[in-house]
Amino acid sequence: MTTVRPYRPDDRPALYDICVRTAHEGGDSRHIYPDLDLMPSIFAAPYAELEPDLTFVLDDGERAVGYVLGTADTAAFVEAYRASWLPRMRERFPALDGPPTTPSETMIDLMYRPKRMIVPETVGYPAHLHIDLLPSHQRKGHGRALMHAFLDALHRKGVAAVHLAMVTANAPARAFYDRLGFHEIPVADPGPLTYLGRSTARG
């Protein structure tokens, strides 16, 4: 039976695998980012490490096949990420000496710019999240179950609203978020991203 449950440390390999296989506009990223630790080290592992109580997985009875994770306070997360996560990444992914020239270097550059997570237009939505499911478990209601677990956890913490940033080109993801009641947050210079937000209250 497939269930949503809190993250455990032994889920880490599955967490990395899910991230890698969904990191390119919702699809497999291995042909773009050959180092399989890179994308999880930016978009998954720091959340599981720094805010494990807001990390949930979809368990198919054998392993995690999806996750939702994030932070209750984006500004505080940026400071914790800078203070305790980045120092552990410096040997594995050294900071660039110049402008990025490859997709992987672009991501490493992002890794070292955590303040990019602080977008003035999202100040009213202090929490943010990432959600990913393996293709085999998409479009079956599991994403909704994961999202509800995360929203309920935020609501219990007294966090009123949450935002996310998605690649604008990922149309299926946008349809999913629309169905869950997210709305677009106008951002002055969003680049390739669209920002969405909603209340943490069930409605």
Side-chain angles (χ1 to χ4, degrees), residues 3-7 11 15 55-59 64 66-68 146:
T3 57
V4 174
R5 61 166 173 79
Y7 172 83
D11 293 318
L15 192 81
T55 304
F56 300 91
V57 300
L58 182 69
D59 188 326
Y67 63 72
V68 62
L146 279 169

Side-chain angles (χ1 to χ4, degrees), residues 132-203:
D132 291 299
L133 292 90
L134 293 179
S136 58
H137 288 77
Q138 294 175 10
R139 299 177 182 84
K140 297 179 180 179
H142 300 312
R144 181 179 292 272
L146 279 169
M147 189 70 78
H148 283 165
F150 186 82
L151 293 172
D152 290 349
L154 285 178
H155 196 61
R156 288 193 297 270
K157 287 176 174 284
V159 181
V162 61
H163 76 273
L164 60 89
M166 58 158 286
V167 175
T168 303
N170 189 350
R174 178 60 190 268
F176 167 71
Y177 296 128
D178 287 347
R179 289 194 298 272
L180 285 172
F182 281 82
H183 58 265
E184 189 163 343
I185 303 170
V187 170
D189 185 16
L193 303 176
T194 295
Y195 290 84
L196 305 174
R198 62 156 285 170
S199 162
T200 61
R202 296 262 199 128

Side-chain angles (χ1 to χ4, degrees), residues 5-6 21 32 59 63 74 93 96 106 123 128-129 136-137 142 170 175:
R5 61 166 173 79
R21 291 207 268 155
I32 300 174
D59 188 326
R63 55 161 279 174
T74 298
F93 299 107
L96 304 180
T106 297
V123 67
H128 78 256
L129 68 88
S136 58
H137 288 77
H142 300 312
N170 189 350

